[in-house]
Short mmCIF file of all heavy atoms in Angstrom, two decimals:
data_model
loop_
_atom_site.label_atom_id
_atom_site.label_comp_id
_atom_site.label_asym_id
_atom_site.label_seq_id
_atom_site.Cartn_x
_atom_site.Cartn_y
_atom_site.Cartn_z
N MET X 652 -34.43 -136.53 -81.65
CA MET X 652 -35.66 -135.95 -81.09
C MET X 652 -36.55 -135.41 -82.22
O MET X 652 -36.07 -134.75 -83.13
CB MET X 652 -35.30 -134.81 -80.12
CG MET X 652 -36.49 -133.97 -79.65
SD MET X 652 -37.69 -134.87 -78.64
CE MET X 652 -36.79 -134.95 -77.09
N ASN X 653 -37.82 -135.72 -82.16
CA ASN X 653 -38.78 -135.17 -83.09
C ASN X 653 -39.46 -133.94 -82.48
O ASN X 653 -39.47 -133.77 -81.26
CB ASN X 653 -39.84 -136.22 -83.45
CG ASN X 653 -39.24 -137.34 -84.29
OD1 ASN X 653 -38.47 -137.09 -85.21
ND2 ASN X 653 -39.57 -138.58 -83.96
N HIS X 654 -40.02 -133.12 -83.34
CA HIS X 654 -40.53 -131.82 -82.89
C HIS X 654 -41.92 -131.56 -83.47
O HIS X 654 -42.21 -131.95 -84.61
CB HIS X 654 -39.58 -130.71 -83.33
CG HIS X 654 -38.17 -130.91 -82.89
ND1 HIS X 654 -37.64 -130.34 -81.75
CD2 HIS X 654 -37.16 -131.65 -83.44
CE1 HIS X 654 -36.38 -130.70 -81.62
NE2 HIS X 654 -36.07 -131.50 -82.62
N ILE X 655 -42.75 -130.88 -82.69
CA ILE X 655 -44.08 -130.46 -83.13
C ILE X 655 -44.10 -128.94 -83.09
O ILE X 655 -43.62 -128.33 -82.13
CB ILE X 655 -45.18 -131.03 -82.22
CG1 ILE X 655 -45.24 -132.56 -82.37
CG2 ILE X 655 -46.54 -130.41 -82.54
CD1 ILE X 655 -46.03 -133.26 -81.29
N LEU X 656 -44.65 -128.33 -84.12
CA LEU X 656 -44.63 -126.87 -84.22
C LEU X 656 -46.02 -126.30 -84.49
O LEU X 656 -46.75 -126.79 -85.35
CB LEU X 656 -43.69 -126.46 -85.36
CG LEU X 656 -43.67 -124.97 -85.75
CD1 LEU X 656 -43.09 -124.12 -84.60
CD2 LEU X 656 -42.88 -124.75 -87.03
N TYR X 657 -46.36 -125.25 -83.73
CA TYR X 657 -47.52 -124.42 -84.00
C TYR X 657 -47.05 -122.97 -84.04
O TYR X 657 -45.98 -122.63 -83.52
CB TYR X 657 -48.57 -124.54 -82.88
CG TYR X 657 -49.37 -125.80 -82.86
CD1 TYR X 657 -48.98 -126.89 -82.08
CD2 TYR X 657 -50.56 -125.92 -83.57
CE1 TYR X 657 -49.72 -128.06 -82.03
CE2 TYR X 657 -51.33 -127.09 -83.53
CZ TYR X 657 -50.90 -128.15 -82.76
OH TYR X 657 -51.65 -129.30 -82.71
N ALA X 658 -47.87 -122.10 -84.62
CA ALA X 658 -47.64 -120.66 -84.56
C ALA X 658 -48.98 -120.01 -84.26
O ALA X 658 -49.99 -120.30 -84.92
CB ALA X 658 -47.08 -120.13 -85.88
N THR X 659 -49.03 -119.15 -83.23
CA THR X 659 -50.31 -118.57 -82.84
C THR X 659 -50.13 -117.23 -82.16
O THR X 659 -49.02 -116.86 -81.76
CB THR X 659 -51.07 -119.54 -81.91
OG1 THR X 659 -52.42 -119.07 -81.73
CG2 THR X 659 -50.40 -119.66 -80.56
N ASP X 660 -51.24 -116.51 -82.03
CA ASP X 660 -51.27 -115.28 -81.25
C ASP X 660 -52.39 -115.40 -80.23
O ASP X 660 -53.06 -116.43 -80.14
CB ASP X 660 -51.44 -114.05 -82.15
CG ASP X 660 -52.73 -114.10 -82.97
OD1 ASP X 660 -53.68 -114.83 -82.58
OD2 ASP X 660 -52.80 -113.42 -84.01
N LYS X 661 -52.61 -114.34 -79.45
CA LYS X 661 -53.57 -114.43 -78.35
C LYS X 661 -55.01 -114.62 -78.86
O LYS X 661 -55.85 -115.18 -78.15
CB LYS X 661 -53.49 -113.19 -77.46
CG LYS X 661 -53.86 -111.88 -78.14
CD LYS X 661 -53.71 -110.73 -77.15
CE LYS X 661 -54.05 -109.39 -77.81
NZ LYS X 661 -53.89 -108.27 -76.86
N ASN X 662 -55.32 -114.19 -80.07
CA ASN X 662 -56.67 -114.33 -80.60
C ASN X 662 -57.00 -115.77 -80.99
O ASN X 662 -58.17 -116.13 -81.07
CB ASN X 662 -56.85 -113.41 -81.81
CG ASN X 662 -56.73 -111.95 -81.46
OD1 ASN X 662 -57.24 -111.51 -80.43
ND2 ASN X 662 -56.03 -111.19 -82.29
N TYR X 663 -55.98 -116.56 -81.26
CA TYR X 663 -56.19 -117.93 -81.72
C TYR X 663 -55.68 -118.95 -80.71
O TYR X 663 -55.65 -120.14 -81.00
CB TYR X 663 -55.50 -118.12 -83.07
CG TYR X 663 -56.40 -118.63 -84.17
CD1 TYR X 663 -57.55 -117.95 -84.53
CD2 TYR X 663 -56.12 -119.82 -84.84
CE1 TYR X 663 -58.37 -118.40 -85.54
CE2 TYR X 663 -56.94 -120.29 -85.85
CZ TYR X 663 -58.06 -119.57 -86.20
OH TYR X 663 -58.88 -120.03 -87.19
N CYS X 664 -55.31 -118.49 -79.53
CA CYS X 664 -54.66 -119.37 -78.56
C CYS X 664 -55.55 -120.53 -78.13
O CYS X 664 -55.08 -121.66 -78.01
CB CYS X 664 -54.21 -118.55 -77.35
SG CYS X 664 -53.28 -119.52 -76.15
N GLU X 665 -56.84 -120.27 -77.87
CA GLU X 665 -57.73 -121.34 -77.42
C GLU X 665 -57.90 -122.42 -78.50
O GLU X 665 -57.93 -123.61 -78.20
CB GLU X 665 -59.11 -120.78 -77.04
CG GLU X 665 -59.09 -119.83 -75.87
CD GLU X 665 -58.76 -118.42 -76.28
OE1 GLU X 665 -59.27 -117.95 -77.31
OE2 GLU X 665 -57.95 -117.78 -75.58
N VAL X 666 -58.01 -121.98 -79.75
CA VAL X 666 -58.13 -122.93 -80.85
C VAL X 666 -56.86 -123.77 -80.96
O VAL X 666 -56.90 -124.98 -81.18
CB VAL X 666 -58.42 -122.19 -82.17
CG1 VAL X 666 -58.49 -123.16 -83.34
CG2 VAL X 666 -59.72 -121.41 -82.06
N CYS X 667 -55.72 -123.12 -80.78
CA CYS X 667 -54.43 -123.83 -80.79
C CYS X 667 -54.37 -124.84 -79.65
O CYS X 667 -53.88 -125.96 -79.82
CB CYS X 667 -53.29 -122.82 -80.69
SG CYS X 667 -51.64 -123.55 -80.77
N ALA X 668 -54.87 -124.45 -78.47
CA ALA X 668 -54.85 -125.34 -77.31
C ALA X 668 -55.69 -126.59 -77.56
O ALA X 668 -55.31 -127.70 -77.19
CB ALA X 668 -55.37 -124.60 -76.07
N VAL X 669 -56.85 -126.43 -78.22
CA VAL X 669 -57.69 -127.58 -78.54
C VAL X 669 -56.97 -128.51 -79.50
O VAL X 669 -56.98 -129.73 -79.35
CB VAL X 669 -59.04 -127.12 -79.14
CG1 VAL X 669 -59.83 -128.31 -79.67
CG2 VAL X 669 -59.85 -126.36 -78.10
N SER X 670 -56.31 -127.94 -80.50
CA SER X 670 -55.57 -128.76 -81.45
C SER X 670 -54.44 -129.52 -80.76
O SER X 670 -54.25 -130.72 -80.98
CB SER X 670 -55.00 -127.87 -82.57
OG SER X 670 -54.30 -128.65 -83.52
N LEU X 671 -53.69 -128.82 -79.93
CA LEU X 671 -52.58 -129.46 -79.21
C LEU X 671 -53.09 -130.57 -78.30
O LEU X 671 -52.50 -131.65 -78.22
CB LEU X 671 -51.82 -128.41 -78.41
CG LEU X 671 -50.63 -128.92 -77.60
CD1 LEU X 671 -49.56 -129.53 -78.50
CD2 LEU X 671 -50.03 -127.77 -76.76
N TYR X 672 -54.20 -130.32 -77.62
CA TYR X 672 -54.79 -131.32 -76.74
C TYR X 672 -55.19 -132.57 -77.53
O TYR X 672 -54.93 -133.71 -77.13
CB TYR X 672 -56.00 -130.73 -76.02
CG TYR X 672 -56.76 -131.71 -75.15
CD1 TYR X 672 -56.28 -132.07 -73.90
CD2 TYR X 672 -57.96 -132.26 -75.58
CE1 TYR X 672 -56.98 -132.97 -73.10
CE2 TYR X 672 -58.67 -133.15 -74.80
CZ TYR X 672 -58.17 -133.51 -73.56
OH TYR X 672 -58.87 -134.41 -72.78
N SER X 673 -55.84 -132.36 -78.70
CA SER X 673 -56.27 -133.50 -79.52
C SER X 673 -55.08 -134.30 -80.01
O SER X 673 -55.15 -135.52 -80.13
CB SER X 673 -57.12 -133.02 -80.70
OG SER X 673 -56.33 -132.36 -81.68
N LEU X 674 -53.98 -133.63 -80.28
CA LEU X 674 -52.78 -134.32 -80.74
C LEU X 674 -52.17 -135.15 -79.61
O LEU X 674 -51.90 -136.34 -79.77
CB LEU X 674 -51.76 -133.31 -81.26
CG LEU X 674 -50.47 -133.90 -81.86
CD1 LEU X 674 -49.95 -133.00 -82.97
CD2 LEU X 674 -49.37 -134.06 -80.82
N LEU X 675 -51.95 -134.50 -78.46
CA LEU X 675 -51.22 -135.16 -77.37
C LEU X 675 -52.02 -136.28 -76.72
O LEU X 675 -51.43 -137.27 -76.26
CB LEU X 675 -50.80 -134.12 -76.33
CG LEU X 675 -49.75 -133.11 -76.81
CD1 LEU X 675 -49.41 -132.13 -75.67
CD2 LEU X 675 -48.49 -133.81 -77.29
N LYS X 676 -53.32 -136.18 -76.70
CA LYS X 676 -54.10 -137.24 -76.06
C LYS X 676 -54.08 -138.53 -76.88
O LYS X 676 -54.39 -139.60 -76.38
CB LYS X 676 -55.53 -136.79 -75.77
CG LYS X 676 -56.48 -136.83 -76.93
CD LYS X 676 -57.91 -136.57 -76.45
CE LYS X 676 -58.92 -136.79 -77.54
NZ LYS X 676 -60.31 -136.67 -77.04
N ASN X 677 -53.71 -138.40 -78.16
CA ASN X 677 -53.60 -139.57 -79.03
C ASN X 677 -52.16 -139.95 -79.34
O ASN X 677 -51.92 -140.92 -80.06
CB ASN X 677 -54.32 -139.29 -80.36
CG ASN X 677 -55.81 -139.17 -80.22
OD1 ASN X 677 -56.48 -140.11 -79.82
ND2 ASN X 677 -56.35 -138.00 -80.54
N PHE X 678 -51.20 -139.22 -78.80
CA PHE X 678 -49.81 -139.33 -79.24
C PHE X 678 -49.04 -140.36 -78.42
O PHE X 678 -49.02 -140.30 -77.19
CB PHE X 678 -49.13 -137.95 -79.12
CG PHE X 678 -47.83 -137.83 -79.86
CD1 PHE X 678 -47.79 -137.92 -81.24
CD2 PHE X 678 -46.65 -137.60 -79.18
CE1 PHE X 678 -46.61 -137.79 -81.94
CE2 PHE X 678 -45.45 -137.46 -79.86
CZ PHE X 678 -45.43 -137.56 -81.24
N SER X 679 -48.38 -141.30 -79.11
CA SER X 679 -47.67 -142.37 -78.41
C SER X 679 -46.17 -142.10 -78.28
O SER X 679 -45.47 -142.82 -77.58
CB SER X 679 -47.86 -143.70 -79.16
OG SER X 679 -47.29 -143.62 -80.47
N GLY X 680 -45.68 -141.07 -78.96
CA GLY X 680 -44.25 -140.80 -78.97
C GLY X 680 -43.85 -139.70 -78.00
O GLY X 680 -44.64 -139.24 -77.18
N LYS X 681 -42.61 -139.30 -78.11
CA LYS X 681 -42.09 -138.20 -77.32
C LYS X 681 -41.58 -137.15 -78.28
O LYS X 681 -40.84 -137.44 -79.22
CB LYS X 681 -40.93 -138.68 -76.44
CG LYS X 681 -40.34 -137.60 -75.53
CD LYS X 681 -41.29 -137.24 -74.40
CE LYS X 681 -40.64 -136.23 -73.45
NZ LYS X 681 -41.57 -135.79 -72.39
N ALA X 682 -42.01 -135.93 -78.08
CA ALA X 682 -41.59 -134.85 -78.97
C ALA X 682 -41.53 -133.55 -78.20
O ALA X 682 -42.26 -133.35 -77.23
CB ALA X 682 -42.56 -134.72 -80.14
N LEU X 683 -40.65 -132.69 -78.63
CA LEU X 683 -40.57 -131.35 -78.05
C LEU X 683 -41.52 -130.45 -78.84
O LEU X 683 -41.49 -130.42 -80.07
CB LEU X 683 -39.14 -130.82 -78.13
CG LEU X 683 -38.91 -129.40 -77.60
CD1 LEU X 683 -39.32 -129.29 -76.14
CD2 LEU X 683 -37.46 -128.99 -77.78
N ILE X 684 -42.35 -129.72 -78.11
CA ILE X 684 -43.33 -128.85 -78.74
C ILE X 684 -42.77 -127.44 -78.82
O ILE X 684 -42.28 -126.89 -77.83
CB ILE X 684 -44.64 -128.83 -77.93
CG1 ILE X 684 -45.21 -130.24 -77.81
CG2 ILE X 684 -45.67 -127.90 -78.58
CD1 ILE X 684 -46.15 -130.42 -76.65
N HIS X 685 -42.83 -126.85 -80.01
CA HIS X 685 -42.41 -125.48 -80.22
C HIS X 685 -43.63 -124.65 -80.61
O HIS X 685 -44.43 -125.09 -81.44
CB HIS X 685 -41.37 -125.38 -81.33
CG HIS X 685 -40.17 -126.26 -81.13
ND1 HIS X 685 -39.04 -125.85 -80.44
CD2 HIS X 685 -39.93 -127.53 -81.52
CE1 HIS X 685 -38.16 -126.83 -80.43
NE2 HIS X 685 -38.68 -127.87 -81.07
N ILE X 686 -43.76 -123.48 -80.03
CA ILE X 686 -44.84 -122.59 -80.40
C ILE X 686 -44.25 -121.21 -80.69
O ILE X 686 -43.67 -120.58 -79.80
CB ILE X 686 -45.93 -122.50 -79.32
CG1 ILE X 686 -46.60 -123.87 -79.16
CG2 ILE X 686 -46.96 -121.43 -79.68
CD1 ILE X 686 -47.69 -123.93 -78.15
N ILE X 687 -44.35 -120.80 -81.95
CA ILE X 687 -43.93 -119.45 -82.32
C ILE X 687 -45.09 -118.53 -81.94
O ILE X 687 -46.19 -118.64 -82.49
CB ILE X 687 -43.61 -119.34 -83.82
CG1 ILE X 687 -42.48 -120.33 -84.18
CG2 ILE X 687 -43.20 -117.92 -84.18
CD1 ILE X 687 -42.15 -120.38 -85.65
#
């Protein structure tokens, strides 16, 4: 299994969500997402 990792807090959550969305909408594989 491959893994994707972000680290964020409530002040940066929306920016993190945009990044995650841009990744997953183009992503052809399967990965477990971890967010610290």
Side-chain angles (χ1 to χ4, degrees):
M652 170 65 76
N653 291 316
H654 305 264
I655 293 165
L656 172 67
Y657 285 93
T659 190
D660 59 21
K661 64 181 179 181
N662 296 318
Y663 235 57
C664 185
E665 296 85 42
V666 177
C667 183
V669 172
S670 181
L671 180 61
Y672 176 77
S673 72
L674 184 148
L675 293 180
K676 80 171 188 174
N677 292 298
F678 196 64
S679 63
K681 182 71 176 176
L683 178 58
I684 302 158
H685 305 271
I686 296 181
I687 301 176

